[in-house]
Amino acid sequence: MLTSPDSLKSRKELDAELGGAARAWLDEALAEAAHDAARAPAASGTPHPEASPYASPSWELRFAAAGRHCGQENADSVRSLLLAEARAPLSSVTRLYEQGTAAERRAVLLTLHLLDLGDTALPLIEDALRANDTRLVAAAVGPYAADHLDPHAWRHAVLKCLFTEVPVAAVARLADRARGDAELARMLDDFAAERTAAGRPVPEDLRTVLALTAPADEGGHPAGPTAAPAAPAPTEES
């Protein structure tokens, strides 16, 4: 199952689902994150004067343990809450992404748009889009990518979704960014032609995106490629 930012649970929803021990653990974890945020210096990513440059804040250790204490089905939501509560700086999100499991990396990607990072976290998005893990690809094309990827990189992110069979519904602001994009339409046509020439089916989602590339005053993109039935669902979450 692929996770999107919209599927993340709120603190209230988690409290309603978690048992007493898990709620207590989450209370402590979020308190540690809030404490670290309150001590944060003005310059994001600058360590506290008394902190070792090699030490990680205690909430980062909680980040890794979220699944064990709150259940794997809640891990993305808990990790996202921790990042937001800590107002995680670039140094933290980079460390958690680079040292984390695929599930931990996904949680970072799903939360980037909630953090005050500007475009400084784009290298994490770019790294995820080079992966073949569909969970990471789906998380990488969320709101942060929609806000910060340049047109060239964003078009290739859409093609990556089609190539890896990630549903284009995962692409945030797809209709807005695709509208009137003639270059994206050309790339889609080329991709469809390559698939057809190789005797491979054209993804149904390609027709969806191709129609969105029409200018706002047109009804749709002319003469789209013939699509084959949708491919099987992407890799299931472990």
Side-chain angles (χ1 to χ4, degrees):
M1 180 179 178
L2 302 181
T3 309
S4 73
D6 291 339
S7 67
L8 294 174
K9 300 171 186 176
S10 68
R11 174 67 188 281
K12 183 177 180 179
E13 290 170 324
L14 285 171
D15 281 346
E17 295 182 18
L18 297 175
R23 284 198 305 272
W25 183 91
L26 180 57
D27 286 341
E28 293 175 1
L30 291 175
E32 290 174 7
H35 178 69
D36 194 66
R39 295 169 58 240
S44 177
T46 304
H48 304 301
E50 70 278 15
S52 164
Y54 304 105
S56 298
S58 59
W59 69 265
E60 290 189 20
L61 303 179
R62 301 270 194 174
F63 183 91
R68 293 198 302 274
H69 290 276
C70 298
Q72 295 300 331
E73 70 278 12
N74 297 314
D76 282 338
S77 300
V78 170
R79 289 171 177 144
S80 182
L81 286 175
L82 282 170
L83 289 166
E85 192 70 31
R87 299 199 297 273
L90 181 63
S91 57
S92 287
V93 297
T94 300
R95 179 165 52 246
L96 291 170
Y97 181 88
E98 292 181 345
Q99 299 178 3
T101 63
E104 291 161 22
R105 291 182 172 202
R106 181 179 64 244
V108 169
L109 296 168
L110 291 170
T111 313
L112 290 177
H113 67 293
L114 300 177
L115 306 174
D116 186 19
L117 298 173
D119 63 0
T120 61
L122 275 177
L124 305 186
I125 297 293
E126 293 164 353
D127 178 82
L129 289 172
R130 288 191 292 269
N132 288 321
D133 187 328
T134 56
R135 298 166 300 173
L136 295 184
V137 174
V141 292
Y144 187 85
D147 289 341
H148 297 291
L149 279 181
D150 64 40
H152 177 78
W154 183 81
R155 292 178 189 121
H156 280 277
V158 173
L159 285 177
K160 178 76 174 192
C161 289
L162 295 172
F163 183 76
T164 58
E165 300 177 2
V166 169
V168 295
V171 182
R173 290 177 44 212
L174 175 62
D176 290 340
R177 292 207 57 167
R179 185 176 298 115
D181 192 334
E183 177 60 15
L184 177 60
R186 183 196 65 76
M187 293 169 70
L188 293 170
D189 282 333
D190 288 348
F191 179 67
E194 290 173 5
R195 299 274 294 195
T196 301
R200 303 179 65 187
V202 176
E204 180 66 30
D205 271 354
L206 188 145
R207 287 177 63 90
T208 299
V209 181
L210 195 57
L212 292 173
T213 63
D217 58 350
E218 293 184 13
H221 188 278
T226 300
T235 306
E236 228 176 82
E237 182 177 353
S238 56

